[in-house]
Amino acid sequence: SFTVNMYLFVYDLLQFCGHSWIFTNMIIRFMTFGKDSLADTFYSIGLVMRLCQLLSVLEILHILIGIDKSRLLPRFLQITERIIVLFVVINSQEEVQGKYVVCVLFFLWNLLDLVRYTYNMLARMGIYYLPLTWLNFSLCIVLYPLSVLAKASAICVSLPYFESFGTYSIKLPLPFAFSIYFPYVLKMYLLVLFVGMSFIIQNFFSERKAHLGTGNIKIKRS
């Protein structure tokens, strides 16, 4: 319906504005301050990044109620990966926030989302540009594995701090005698991250074939 389409357009527009601000801020800061700008990327754009990622949780709801025809599991994995790495790993450890890998990760996320939300906004107005369509369904195949490597690097960098500070580690006294050592949880999650990557990349290829291989152009979130 028109109302649903307008709502989705406004959602895409909000995400586009947020990621455009982040991306522009990163470029200008790098051109102005050079490599010195990389260390404080999180402090300068972290708030807007967190807001954009929290807002993206709505995309799961969109699929569940049927107004977005994307596959649920690939989108769910992508969103939860970002939420876990951003809020659990990076946001909880101040020492990790100044690492260069955070800047690389934010750059990859924003480049992917700028293309995706631009494509979706235009598609909702019935406007399709073949170069943008090709970019939307091709760029993710290249950049998503790089973003997974950046996520894994951020987790590996954070492990010594989780071990030293005991963040999120739980040890209950007797009679429970139950404990959770969070660095082990993160190490297990690394396996989940790479297994999920293979599944998501397969989904990207199937979407690309559906939209470009047959000449059909549809709205589909990658």
Side-chain angles (χ1 to χ4, degrees):
S1 68
F2 175 80
T3 302
V4 171
N5 199 57
M6 181 58 66
Y7 161 75
L8 292 174
F9 176 82
V10 172
Y11 169 81
D12 291 330
L13 178 61
L14 288 174
Q15 288 281 31
F16 171 80
C17 291
H19 287 288
S20 295
W21 183 88
I22 294 172
F23 192 78
T24 304
N25 186 288
M26 292 180 68
I27 297 299
I28 293 176
R29 286 177 57 81
F30 182 76
M31 294 177 64
T32 304
F33 303 107
K35 295 177 68 174
D36 293 337
S37 66
L38 303 181
D40 63 347
T41 296
F42 183 86
Y43 303 102
S44 60
I45 64 175
L47 176 60
V48 181
M49 175 61 78
R50 280 173 283 181
L51 290 175
C52 287
Q53 298 309 316
L54 285 175
L55 190 61
S56 70
V57 176
L58 286 175
E59 296 180 26
I60 299 175
L61 179 62
H62 295 165
I63 299 174
L64 289 174
I65 63 178
I67 61 176
D68 187 337
K69 302 304 180 183
S70 300
R71 296 177 63 188
L72 176 61
L73 184 56
R75 194 71 198 124
F76 175 80
L77 289 175
Q78 292 174 73
I79 292 173
T80 52
E81 284 172 8
R82 292 191 182 191
I83 294 294
I84 291 172
V85 172
L86 179 59
F87 287 92
V88 178
V89 176
I90 299 175
N91 190 63
S92 67
Q93 299 296 336
E94 187 175 353
E95 291 77 6
V96 178
Q97 296 168 9
K99 303 296 184 181
Y100 288 169
V101 68
V102 175
C103 181
V104 173
L105 187 58
F106 283 7
F107 180 83
L108 293 172
W109 283 355
N110 280 278
L111 186 56
L112 283 167
D113 286 339
L114 276 177
V115 174
R116 183 161 64 90
Y117 290 118
T118 302
Y119 170 81
N120 285 345
M121 281 194 303
L122 294 176
R124 299 197 191 282
M125 295 187 294
I127 301 173
Y128 301 96
Y129 292 108
L130 184 57
L132 180 60
T133 303
W134 183 89
L135 193 63
N136 181 61
F137 293 103
S138 303
L139 190 65
C140 55
I141 296 175
V142 178
L143 294 189
Y144 177 73
L146 295 179
S147 72
V148 170
L149 290 176
K151 293 171 195 173
S153 298
I155 291 175
C156 291
V157 168
S158 72
L159 287 175
Y161 303 107
F162 279 106
E163 292 171 354
S164 299
F165 303 138
T167 310
Y168 301 133
S169 293
I170 301 173
K171 186 174 184 180
L172 299 179
L174 293 174
F176 300 100
F178 176 77
S179 63
I180 297 177
Y181 188 55
F182 196 69
Y184 289 162
V185 176
L186 287 179
K187 291 176 182 178
M188 289 188 291
Y189 182 69
L190 284 173
L191 296 176
V192 176
L193 197 63
F194 284 101
V195 172
M197 180 183 70
S198 62
F199 172 73
I200 291 172
I201 290 178
Q202 288 179 357
N203 184 67
F204 285 155
F205 274 109
S206 65
E207 287 187 337
R208 188 179 189 278
K209 181 179 180 180
H211 291 80
L212 299 177
T214 62
N216 296 324
I217 298 177
K218 304 174 184 177
I219 295 178
K220 191 85 168 181
R221 291 187 178 276
S222 56

